[in-house]
């Protein structure tokens, strides 16, 4: 159950002076948290309540990384947490969920189909990768790397997900073809995993997409938000997650390829990946799509989401994998300028 308005107001008061007057407004919330825009004594804030876990170590790690980033001169904004009156970096709602308050950052969600949006997205991804390479968190990360699919859930195994793909329950038999393609991809991926693990590692944001950024009307990105899933992972995974946001489902080719090419120019103008990393990107982009499916499958088994949500994710992952069969070679060639070996 998502946090109600009374609990949100109680959590907000834990951060404000006792006599402060305030207002709360609905804001764009993700699948994993509830967000409200708050105003108090002429200042604006964003209140977030974590809905899917009560693990303080995860939030502590996120805030530790944000504190480190705040000391760097970045060409974009990152969230600035506000401490609670108790001195703690978070507060608890009446039902025990963790709430964090951030200072409000001006901006709108950027369009990745605008002329400058994908280029700015590529630049921002590279800048953030460079910044996180310099960032050292005091605590160990709470989330495993993307490639460790066997560790993606503490309650369910990848074997159970593979059985679901091979023998879908009656509610999902209409998606048999897509599930078979996901299962086949997972089997092939496992064979390539040892080589992936040899690639460079560092901190990554882990969920870099247009819903977690702010920008200007022309598409230029001015802020990166929501570091909830920050962890140590493959350096190239940051670019893969970002590219996955451009290559989502079955995009129209006339809009897709200019966007990907623009992203690549933006990224390569700031930084380069090794040849092995650049060659691994198509596989890592597919990993992101399949990981999202697994995330929502596990949420369904936990009773958080319904079967309709899982079906949407099955179709999305299946369409994405089918797209790679048709366009993978062109994508590989388009991504070559990201390699340090390219001219």
């Amino acid at each position: 159950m998502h946090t109600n308005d009374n609990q949100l107001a109680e959590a907000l008061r834990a951060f404000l002076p006792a006599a402060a007057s305030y207002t709360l407004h609905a804001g764009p919330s993700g699948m994993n948290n509830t967000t409200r825009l708050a105003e108090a004594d002429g200042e604006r804030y964003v209140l977030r309540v974590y809905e899917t876990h009560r693990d303080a170590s995860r939030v502590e790690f996120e805030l530790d990384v944000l504190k480190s980033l705040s000391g760097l001169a970045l060409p974009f904004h990152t969230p600035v947490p506000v401490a609670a009156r108790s001195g703690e970096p978070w507060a608890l709602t009446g039902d025990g969920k963790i709430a964090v308050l951030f200072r409000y950052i001006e901006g709108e969600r950027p369009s990745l189909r605008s002329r400058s949006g994908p280029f700015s997205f590529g630049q921002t991804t590279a800048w953030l990768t460079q910044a996180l390479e310099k960032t050292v968190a005091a605590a160990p990360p709470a989330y495993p790397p993307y490639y460790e699919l066997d560790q993606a859930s503490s309650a369910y195994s990848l074997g159970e997900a593979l059985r679901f793909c091979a023998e879908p329950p009656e509610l999902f038999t209409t998606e048999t073809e897509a599930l078979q393609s996901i299962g086949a991809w997972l089997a092939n991926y496992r064979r390539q995993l040892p080589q992936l693990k040899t690639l460079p590692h560092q901190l990554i944001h882990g969920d870099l997409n247009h819903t977690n950024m702010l920008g200007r009307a022309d598409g230029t990105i001015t802020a990166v938000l929501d570091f909830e899933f920050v962890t140590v992972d493959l350096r190239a995974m940051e670019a893969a997650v970002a590219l996955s946001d451009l290559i989502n489902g079955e995009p129209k080719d006339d809009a897709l390829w200019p966007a990907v090419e623009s992203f690549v120019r933006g990224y390569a103008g700031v930084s380069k990946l090794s040849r092995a990393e650049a060659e691994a990107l198509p596989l890592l982009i597919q990993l992101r799509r399949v990981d999202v499916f697994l995330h929502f499958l596990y949420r369904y088994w936990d009773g958080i989401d319904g079967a309709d949500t899982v079906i949407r994710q099955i179709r999305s992952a299946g369409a994405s994998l089918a797209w790679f069969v048709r366009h993978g070679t062109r994508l590989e060639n388009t991504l070559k300028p990201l390699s340090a070996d390219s001219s």
Side-chain angles (χ1 to χ4, degrees), residues 171-188:
L171 275 175
F172 303 96
T173 52
T174 56
E175 313 306 318
T176 297
E177 183 177 354
L179 285 169
Q180 287 176 343
S181 72
I182 294 170
W185 185 91
L186 284 167
N188 177 64

